[in-house]
Amino acid sequence: MAFLNRTNQSFLTHARLWYLVDARDQVNGRLAAYLAQILRGRTKPIYHQADDVGDYVVVINTRHIALTGSKWKNKLYRHHTGYPGGLKSITAKDLHERDATRILWRAVYGMLPKNNLRHRWMKRLYLFEESEHPYAENIFAKLEGPAPLPKRLEEFSLEEIENYPKMF
Amino acid sequence: MVRHEAFFARLWKQDRLLHDPVACGQRNIFAELIKRRDERNKHRAGMVRAPPPNRALKRAKILALAKGFCGRSKNCYSIAIRRVHKALQYQYIGRRLKKREMRQLWINRINIATREHNVNYSTFITKMVQCNIQLNRKMLSELAIHEPRSFKALAELSKSRLKDGLLAAL
């Protein structure tokens, strides 16, 4: 009956892991889609749609998240208060100023399937505006964001800029 | 915790006892009803026509199937018979759907596991067939969960075969 304690033998497969993701310069929607997959457990071979097998995700630097196009100015986040004429709306920029984790939270929440597990999945998502967070000892691995970041101009040293091949 | 055969034998025994009314000290209603029917029909032995159906037995059978249903469906015969017929239809469908859904799940899991090793499901399974590795999807998904290293070897094999295939084409 050696097969009965296989679950204990493959401990890491069955464990809930904690991941750290840096949201700096990541595009909001793409990052949210990536996070939703991890929260649902779509990255684990024990995945089952009715089981709650997802991992924990800690996201830092949500204040520095990116929106494409003119979404900061034009994208509206709407909700209804329940009273007549109670449709409130707020632009992405204003919402981000009020709470810098809210835009990413809304995006992930909207991308998860609408069922009773959604609140449990969302509870495993920890969002932090800056790079400080209290879960450092839980973190199993740091994940790269879905978009590889290009090197910024200020990150190049003066020497590299001078030696860069130029037409003129 | 390592569980031995004796543990499971004990569990099964408990389970059997729970579902056996006589063992639980309850009346065996089916046996009583059948006995009563036989006594009532004793004088009919050797007659050509069948005896009339035993209504109480018929009801007991249906209500036994309706055990655990919601509301009056479990107590009231006229409602129970409808729900039981529908439940049996659902069971018939469910037994067939189960096979499809399990296969979907295995494929899903294999796809997740292979992508960990940068191979997609389609390539992986094609290479398994080409290498004549006759593991079915159920066993491949089991390997992915419980024997990740064996599964990794298979994934690496499929990757190397893919490379060979490309080289051969050139």
Side-chain angles (χ1 to χ4, degrees), chain B residues 98-114:
Chain B
K98 191 180 170 185
K99 296 166 185 65
R100 282 173 234 170
E101 281 166 5
M102 287 312 287
R103 190 179 159 92
Q104 270 177 18
L105 179 65
W106 296 327
I107 290 173
N108 228 326
R109 284 177 168 174
I110 295 168
N111 200 0
I112 290 168
T114 49

Side-chain angles (χ1 to χ4, degrees), chain B residues 34-60:
Chain B
I34 289 167
K35 206 169 145 193
R36 225 185 290 166
R37 181 193 64 187
D38 289 347
E39 266 175 32
R40 197 164 59 236
N41 295 330
K42 219 187 283 172
H43 67 282
R44 289 179 151 270
M47 285 191 183
V48 179
R49 275 178 64 192
N54 187 334
R55 194 173 287 175
L57 182 61
K58 194 180 78 177
R59 282 172 181 236

Side-chain angles (χ1 to χ4, degrees), chain B residues 72-87:
Chain B
R72 285 195 296 156
S73 308
K74 61 173 173 286
N75 301 321
C76 185
Y77 177 76
S78 63
I79 299 172
I81 183 82
R82 282 180 238 157
R83 296 317 311 160
V84 165
H85 281 165
K86 195 69 196 170

Side-chain angles (χ1 to χ4, degrees), chain A residues 1 12 20 22 38 48 51 53 60 65 71 76 80 89 102 114 116 137 152:
Chain A
M1 303 289 269
L12 269 183
L20 181 68
D22 191 350
I38 300 169
H48 187 276
D51 284 352
V53 293
I60 54 171
I65 206 161
K71 289 201 196 75
L76 288 175
H80 203 282
S89 61
R102 203 61 192 168
K114 280 73 186 165
N116 293 338
E137 59 183 27
R152 284 169 172 258

Side-chain angles (χ1 to χ4, degrees), chain A residues 53-113:
Chain A
V53 293
D55 290 325
Y56 290 85
V57 187
V58 178
V59 185
I60 54 171
N61 291 327
T62 56
R63 184 174 290 286
H64 309 291
I65 206 161
L67 287 184
T68 57
S70 57
K71 289 201 196 75
W72 284 119
K73 209 172 77 183
N74 293 346
K75 187 172 166 65
L76 288 175
Y77 286 88
R78 292 196 180 90
H79 70 275
H80 203 282
T81 59
Y83 289 98
L87 182 64
K88 304 286 177 187
S89 61
I90 184 169
T91 58
K93 187 167 176 263
D94 292 342
L95 182 64
H96 201 59
E97 272 166 19
R98 194 182 286 175
D99 182 355
T101 59
R102 203 61 192 168
I103 285 181
L104 184 57
W105 191 93
R106 279 276 298 247
V108 178
Y109 188 73
M111 284 191 195
L112 288 170

Side-chain angles (χ1 to χ4, degrees), chain A residues 16-68:
Chain A
R16 263 188 223 288
L17 304 176
W18 285 68
Y19 291 115
L20 181 68
V21 178
D22 191 350
R24 187 180 286 276
D25 293 339
Q26 295 290 336
V27 179
N28 183 46
R30 288 167 195 276
L31 181 63
Y34 181 62
L35 298 177
Q37 298 296 306
I38 300 169
L39 290 170
R40 282 183 70 194
R42 295 284 299 197
T43 49
K44 305 166 92 175
I46 55 168
Y47 171 76
H48 187 276
Q49 57 179 1
D51 284 352
D52 186 15
V53 293
D55 290 325
Y56 290 85
V57 187
V58 178
V59 185
I60 54 171
N61 291 327
T62 56
R63 184 174 290 286
H64 309 291
I65 206 161
L67 287 184
T68 57

